[in-house]
Amino acid sequence: MATIQDIPDEPGQPPSLTALSLAQTSQEIKAKEQIITPFDVSGGVNEHGKAVAIDYNKLIDKFGSQRIDQVLLERFEKVTGHQPHRLMRRGMVFSHRDLDVILDKFEKGIPFFLYTGRGPSSDSMHVGHSIPFEFTKYLQDVFNVPLVIMLTDDEKFLHSPKLSLKECKQFALQNALDIIAIGFDVQKTFIFADTEFIYGGDGIAFSQNILEMGKKTTNNQIKGTFGFNDTNNILEFAFPATQSATAFATSFPFIFGSDPKKTVRIPCLIPCAIDQDPYFRQCRDNAPRLGLLKPSLIHTVFLPSLRGSESKMSASDPDSTIYLSDTDNQIKKKVGKAFSGGQDTRELHEKLGGRTTIDVPFQYLTFFLEDDDRLETIKQAYEKGEMQSGEMKASATKELQAYVAAFRERRKAVTPELREEFMRPRQLIFRGMAPIKDQMKALEGRKAALQRELDRANEQILRLQSNGEIQ
């Protein structure tokens, strides 16, 4: 029997198209697993070379988290007295680590705090970024708890070869304005940029937790969790300790008080996209070794790219993304080009119906349309072929335009002065806050640190004056 090697090439055929090379190319197509890390998100590739959607059930199994099921949703509603957020009801908030523990503590009146964040890689956030923040605001309102928001401008600088430190710091300040416009309560929310807070006078306690966590974290742990190798810079290996430190109330004595015996018992709930989970697996592994509580987590899915559910929106790819700064016309044009689950012809669509599982405009409706009944009506009409793809895109466009327009109005009211207040280390107002004496002690500590810094500056001024360098 002849093999492929025995088949002669056709005369004059380019080498790249020979029978052998075509066979080799065919054999090179291999299925690829999906990649979900803090630095790379993409769906898998099947055996035919076709990109496939992100499989969140696989992620739960791989990461070892727990599914948010109907029983947990019912308990959430019973404990809080609030209907679960639409993202929870529809499975967009789909996974957790110890959410039941947080509900137990809330039921007993034990205070906790929320922690989320953003890696600032552009000067404007997109609607995919707003989803976890909107959900976090809902949790803050429901539980009436303090919130800490971390802007990891240092991480973006370390991991992005093309970004300068100056750019990352500026992105953080711009993103803070967008985050505030989501609607957070200034009396219960502290926002900080790593480069300003951690390395300044108010980050002393935070820095101590970085040291403690860093000492317990090995290079092998980081390599195993993140896939780092010897080409990654040394500070990338160290950064997980920084992201972990925010999960401990002891890092923020000006919020929770300076008595470590009390603050060490304050738990933390982290709402985040599932790609951030590797950071907190490290944190949860090492926290008990430091006598600290494991943070709880609640995971959201990604808002799909305009191109399809094989990847998420990316701020660095304008064609895949709807920015919170986009105009109504820009949104209309972008959604008009979004990947559709409709059939190739009107006749075929009416016969077979649309495919909501891969239709990006419908996916956007599941994120942004509040009315469950209306969403179900749209779903049924599309799948039966009674609604065309153009109508689906028009519905999604309308919801996104309304969402972004409301954001733009709120954003106009956010001033640099308001941002400064959000980013000022201070006592927050919440149920179970530190006693007055602990607040005073923390303030006295900050005052002493600032006074020492002022004294050093005055000494330097006097020294320069005495040397005749300042007339």
Side-chain angles (χ1 to χ4, degrees):
M1 181 176 180
T3 65
I4 190 70
Q5 285 85 354
D6 299 325
I7 300 174
D9 294 335
E10 295 180 14
Q13 192 172 21
S16 62
L17 295 178
T18 64
L20 179 58
S21 68
L22 286 172
Q24 290 172 334
T25 301
S26 176
Q27 291 170 0
E28 287 170 3
I29 297 176
K30 295 181 180 179
K32 293 182 180 179
E33 285 293 320
Q34 60 189 9
I35 300 173
I36 309 295
T37 74
F39 318 107
D40 190 6
V41 173
S42 61
V45 176
N46 66 20
E47 63 275 14
H48 304 296
K50 182 180 179 181
V52 295
I54 295 169
D55 188 330
Y56 292 99
N57 287 324
K58 276 188 177 180
L59 281 181
I60 288 176
D61 295 338
K62 181 178 179 180
F63 288 178
S65 58
Q66 295 81 44
R67 289 172 176 81
I68 294 179
D69 56 18
Q70 188 59 36
V71 173
L72 186 58
L73 290 177
E74 290 172 0
R75 178 146 193 267
F76 181 95
E77 185 165 4
K78 180 181 177 181
V79 169
T80 65
H82 291 264
Q83 181 187 36
H85 192 275
R86 66 178 185 275
L87 298 178
M88 299 178 76
R89 302 194 303 268
R90 297 170 188 170
M92 276 69 178
V93 174
F94 73 106
S95 167
H96 75 100
R97 296 186 188 276
D98 293 341
L99 177 59
D100 50 333
V101 172
I102 292 294
L103 292 177
D104 288 342
K105 292 184 181 298
F106 181 74
E107 205 168 23
K108 295 174 183 176
I110 298 173
F112 68 94
F113 74 103
L114 295 168
Y115 154 35
T116 195
R118 157 93 178 120
S121 57
S122 63
D123 59 2
S124 177
M125 289 168 39
H126 58 63
V127 291
H129 295 138
S130 70
I131 291 295
F133 284 112
E134 181 195 332
F135 179 61
T136 300
K137 180 187 181 302
Y138 162 84
L139 294 175
Q140 185 183 50
D141 293 343
V142 165
F143 289 111
N144 187 25
V145 291
L147 164 66
V148 173
I149 298 176
M150 180 186 204
L151 299 175
T152 57
D153 51 351
D154 50 350
E155 181 211 23
K156 283 301 174 186
F157 168 66
L158 294 172
H159 200 76
S160 305
K162 296 181 180 180
L163 292 178
S164 69
L165 183 57
K166 181 179 179 180
E167 286 174 318
C168 294
K169 292 173 73 172
Q170 184 59 38
F171 290 160
L173 292 176
Q174 288 298 113
N175 286 184
L177 296 172
D178 287 346
I179 291 167
I180 292 166
I182 298 295
F184 292 108
D185 186 340
V186 68
Q187 292 189 320
K188 300 175 186 174
T189 307
F190 172 54
I191 301 174
F192 68 94
D194 286 359
T195 56
E196 294 297 324
F197 173 69
I198 297 174
Y199 307 106
D202 292 302
I204 293 175
F206 194 104
S207 299
Q208 290 173 352
N209 276 335
I210 293 176
L211 289 174
E212 294 280 7
M213 183 60 66
K215 187 175 180 179
K216 297 296 183 184
T217 306
T218 68
N219 277 352
N220 284 337
Q221 281 183 305
I222 300 300
K223 286 181 177 180
T225 300
F226 297 96
F228 286 176
N229 55 45
D230 291 343
T231 65
N232 290 87
N233 65 63
I234 59 174
L235 290 180
E236 286 180 282
F237 277 88
F239 184 77
T242 301
Q243 186 140 324
S244 294
T246 314
F248 308 126
T250 51
S251 292
F252 307 100
F254 51 87
I255 297 176
F256 301 106
S258 54
D259 184 350
K261 293 181 181 179
K262 295 179 180 178
T263 55
V264 78
R265 297 198 300 266
I266 299 175
C268 174
L269 173 61
I270 306 171
C272 62
I274 187 67
D275 61 334
Q276 295 300 303
D277 186 76
Y279 279 118
F280 302 112
R281 294 206 301 275
Q282 292 291 315
C283 180
R284 286 168 57 85
D285 285 346
N286 292 320
R289 300 168 65 194
L290 297 171
L292 298 168
L293 296 177
K294 292 182 179 182
S296 299
L297 286 92
I298 186 165
H299 302 124
T300 65
V301 302
F302 306 112
L303 187 68
S305 160
L306 286 160
R307 295 193 178 98
S309 54
E310 300 85 10
S311 61
K312 67 174 183 175
M313 280 192 180
S314 172
S316 60
D317 183 2
D319 293 333
S320 75
T321 300
I322 295 173
Y323 295 98
L324 289 167
S325 57
D326 279 348
T327 65
D328 285 354
N329 193 45
Q330 286 174 318
I331 293 171
K332 182 179 179 180
K333 287 182 178 180
K334 288 182 177 182
V335 176
K337 297 177 181 178
F339 185 84
S340 171
Q343 303 296 338
D344 292 339
T345 66
R346 185 182 187 90
E347 292 74 19
L348 201 59
H349 186 88
E350 290 175 350
K351 179 181 178 181
L352 301 178
R355 295 156 291 181
T356 55
T357 56
I358 62 171
D359 191 275
V360 168
F362 178 77
Q363 296 301 317
Y364 290 171
L365 286 177
T366 65
F367 279 89
F368 296 102
L369 178 59
E370 183 66 40
D371 190 325
D372 290 339
D373 292 336
R374 186 178 165 213
L375 181 66
E376 181 61 24
T377 299
I378 291 173
K379 181 177 186 290
Q380 293 296 327
Y382 194 61
E383 290 180 346
K384 291 177 181 178
E386 298 168 357
M387 172 184 275
Q388 293 292 319
S389 297
E391 295 172 289
M392 178 65 78
K393 290 183 175 182
S395 295
T397 296
K398 182 179 178 181
E399 289 301 320
L400 281 163
Q401 286 174 337
Y403 185 89
V404 174
F407 171 84
R408 283 198 301 262
E409 286 303 308
R410 295 192 303 270
R411 179 68 168 75
K412 290 176 184 177
V414 181
T415 63
E417 291 75 21
L418 181 58
R419 177 182 61 196
E420 184 177 342
E421 180 62 15
F422 267 95
M423 301 185 77
R424 180 175 64 86
R426 67 203 186 283
Q427 174 66 61
L428 302 180
I429 309 300
F430 57 94
R431 183 171 63 95
M433 59 193 293
I436 296 296
K437 65 176 183 178
D438 286 349
Q439 296 180 43
M440 290 295 295
K441 184 177 179 181
L443 288 171
E444 288 295 337
R446 287 184 57 218
K447 180 180 177 181
L450 291 171
Q451 186 61 55
R452 287 193 296 271
E453 190 173 341
L454 180 61
D455 290 344
R456 285 194 293 268
N458 285 331
E459 288 174 4
Q460 188 173 4
I461 289 172
L462 290 173
R463 192 180 305 113
L464 290 172
Q465 288 175 334
S466 65
N467 290 339
E469 294 182 27
I470 296 182
Q471 299 300 324

